[in-house]
Amino acid sequence: MEDLRVLFFFYIVEGFLMTMTGLRLFGYKTNVKILAAISITYGASIWIIRGVYQYYHIPLGSHSLILTVILSFLIKMIGKVNWGTALGAALVSFSLVMLGGGMSIVIIQYFQLDVTNVLSNPWLHVLMGYTEIVFLALMLIINKVFGFTLTRSQEIHK
């Protein structure tokens, strides 16, 4: 299994931002208890699934599909929203994380880092993980400042 520091300082934070950003972009404002419950459960899911993949030497990639389904399910069940919103929030969040993942790759190549070394060093893993969630944070700021949502995209408020 991966280091617990990655779980606490990255996966749970990522889950929190993914859930909050996804729901806010669909016009939902959820309380912190619900966000925390989804984040902790989702973060633990990431940690466990990546641990299983590492233990059985399964190449990463398909875990994203599994995690999308898990996040959709958690948003639906804990967040108590309809399936369309839950799936939409999960897919939008994952799309933003994938865009951030492209930034991580550019940084890794620019600094000539080895991906294995990045993933084996907990703090470097967390730091590179934060570059993946930059677009989640950006969309959350745009939502907060301008009131932008995907469901009311034509009504941007100042």
Side-chain angles (χ1 to χ4, degrees):
M1 293 294 224
E2 290 183 315
D3 195 289
L4 282 172
R5 292 174 285 190
V6 177
L7 169 64
F8 291 117
F9 292 102
F10 175 52
Y11 293 152
I12 292 174
V13 173
E14 180 182 50
F16 188 86
L17 277 175
M18 287 179 77
T19 304
M20 186 162 50
T21 303
L23 286 174
R24 291 268 171 99
L25 289 176
F26 279 86
Y28 286 86
K29 291 189 177 179
T30 307
N31 69 38
V32 176
K33 287 181 183 178
I34 290 173
L35 289 172
I38 294 170
S39 307
I40 292 167
T41 308
Y42 181 67
S45 299
I46 297 171
W47 189 71
I48 291 168
I49 288 172
R50 287 183 67 105
V52 167
Y53 270 57
Q54 185 177 11
Y55 182 78
Y56 288 107
H57 305 290
I58 302 169
L60 292 176
S62 63
H63 77 294
S64 297
L65 179 60
I66 295 166
L67 292 171
T68 304
V69 171
I70 290 171
L71 183 59
S72 299
F73 181 77
L74 292 172
I75 291 173
K76 166 65 177 147
M77 295 304 164
I78 298 172
K80 297 187 183 355
V81 298
N82 63 51
W83 277 111
T85 300
L87 187 57
L91 289 172
V92 165
S93 293
F94 262 98
S95 297
L96 293 170
V97 168
M98 292 298 143
L99 284 172
M103 279 183 42
S104 296
I105 292 170
V106 169
I107 291 169
I108 286 171
Q109 289 176 346
Y110 180 79
F111 288 107
Q112 298 176 348
L113 300 171
D114 180 32
V115 176
T116 308
N117 290 340
V118 171
L119 294 177
S120 64
N121 180 324
W123 295 118
L124 194 53
H125 188 167
V126 168
L127 182 63
M128 291 308 296
Y130 284 164
T131 64
E132 288 184 358
I133 59 178
V134 71
F135 290 111
L136 288 171
L138 179 64
M139 286 308 294
L140 196 56
I141 291 167
I142 289 171
N143 170 264
K144 182 72 173 171
V145 172
F146 298 107
F148 174 79
T149 66
L150 296 173
T151 56
R152 293 177 294 153
S153 60
Q154 302 301 321
E155 304 173 17
I156 297 178
H157 304 288
K158 291 184 180 178

